[in-house]
Every structure is written in C-alpha cells, then in structure tokens.
Amino acid sequence: MSNKVIHAFYNDDDILMDAVKKVKSANHHIEEVFCPFPVHGLDKALGLAPTRLAITAFMYGVTGLGVAIWMTNYMMIQDWPQDIGGKPNFSWWLNMPAFVPIMFELTVFFAAHLMVITFYMRSRIWPFKKAENPDPRTTDDHFLMEIPVHNNEEELTSLLKETGAVEINVVEKH
C-alpha cells in the first residue's frame, strides 16, 4: 500500500472552507489542514469532536481555589495566628473577605498554568520538537489540505482544481 497524499494549497481561508465542504461532501477523507492562523468553523467543517479543555480548565480553577482556602486557613488561622487590625484570628470564615484576592489569584494561576501544560501535552508539542508542518508556507500565508490517495489521484486532483487550489502536489508521506 502506498503512502501517497495530495497537498492542496489555498491562499484564502474562505476558499479553504468552501473546499473542505466540497471535499467532505464528495466523501473523501481529509487527513489534516495546516493553517497560519485559526480558521473559525474549520473544526465543524472537518467533523472534529468538540474539545473538553474547558472542563479541565474549570477543574484546575477549582483545585486552585481549594489550595488557596487550605493555604490561607493553615497559614493565617492555624499555624501562625496574628491579630491584624483587630480581626479575629480563630475563624477562617470571619477572615474570608480578606482572603478573596488570594483565592481569586490562585484560582487563575492554577487554571492558566495547568492549561498551558495540558495544551502542550495534548498537542504533543514538546520542547525542541521538530515541526510537523509539511511546507513552511503554512506558517506564513498559505493553507494546506492533506488528503490520502487511494487509487483516486486523478479524481482528487480535478476536484481540488475545481475548489480553487492554487497548487496541488502529490507527495510520498513518510
């Protein structure tokens, strides 16, 4: 079995979106689309499942809030209680309004930092990893649609020409 793929280049995101819809409606599988910037609606046009990263962000925020509550209770109430401005030092609940900025900051801190780590792990972007884009133009001003070839090279090429591709290459994928 051959590992041939067709690389179809586009220079406009609207033309790319129309092309993705036409290729999908012709029952061809699109392996990947490389873009220099996010294209709104491309995930739905490709039929990708919605992301669950928002759920993890919420869980990371709740974890940060829990750490903030534990930390302020331990530091300010149990370990080293101090009378600051006449505030009672025996109850976390009575002092809670003074701890709101700490709780907010740690909630945001945990959510932001753990989301960056999760995004990199989920995207498999490791330090010093070699770029996987097949053409450097996809980081500047071109969009690339990668479609596997299954003995239908002529049909795919003519379909992609109809969709407005500015360049079509058949390459061996390694």
Side-chain angles (χ1 to χ4, degrees), residues 8-12 14-16 18-20 22-23 142-143 145 156-168:
F9 289 89
Y10 297 89
N11 56 10
D12 185 66
D14 292 329
I15 296 172
L16 171 76
D18 293 338
V20 166
K22 286 179 186 174
V23 170
H142 278 75
F143 303 86
M145 186 189 317
L156 275 173
T157 304
S158 64
L159 174 65
L160 292 170
K161 282 181 185 172
E162 291 173 17
T163 63
V166 294
E167 182 180 331
I168 300 171

Side-chain angles (χ1 to χ4, degrees), residues 5 17 21 56 58 74 76 82 92 116 118 127 132 139-141 150 163-164 167 172:
V5 292
M17 282 295 291
K21 291 173 185 173
T56 59
F58 177 76
Y74 178 75
M76 299 299 289
Q82 297 177 29
W92 183 86
V116 167
T118 301
E132 293 180 4
T139 62
D140 186 23
D141 62 349
H150 302 292
T163 63
E167 182 180 331
E172 195 73 30

Side-chain angles (χ1 to χ4, degrees), residues 101-162:
I102 296 166
M103 294 187 301
F104 172 76
E105 290 296 332
L106 282 181
T107 300
V108 172
F109 180 85
F110 270 65
H113 286 78
L114 292 175
M115 278 306 296
V116 167
I117 293 168
T118 301
F119 173 75
Y120 285 148
M121 289 174 57
R122 182 72 180 99
S123 301
R124 294 183 181 95
I125 301 175
W126 315 113
F128 311 109
K129 182 181 181 203
K130 186 177 180 273
E132 293 180 4
N133 58 333
D135 192 292
R137 293 179 289 176
T138 60
T139 62
D140 186 23
D141 62 349
H142 278 75
F143 303 86
L144 184 142
M145 186 189 317
E146 185 177 271
I147 306 169
V149 176
H150 302 292
N151 298 324
N152 57 353
E153 185 177 325
E154 294 82 17
E155 175 192 350
L156 275 173
T157 304
S158 64
L159 174 65
L160 292 170
K161 282 181 185 172
E162 291 173 17

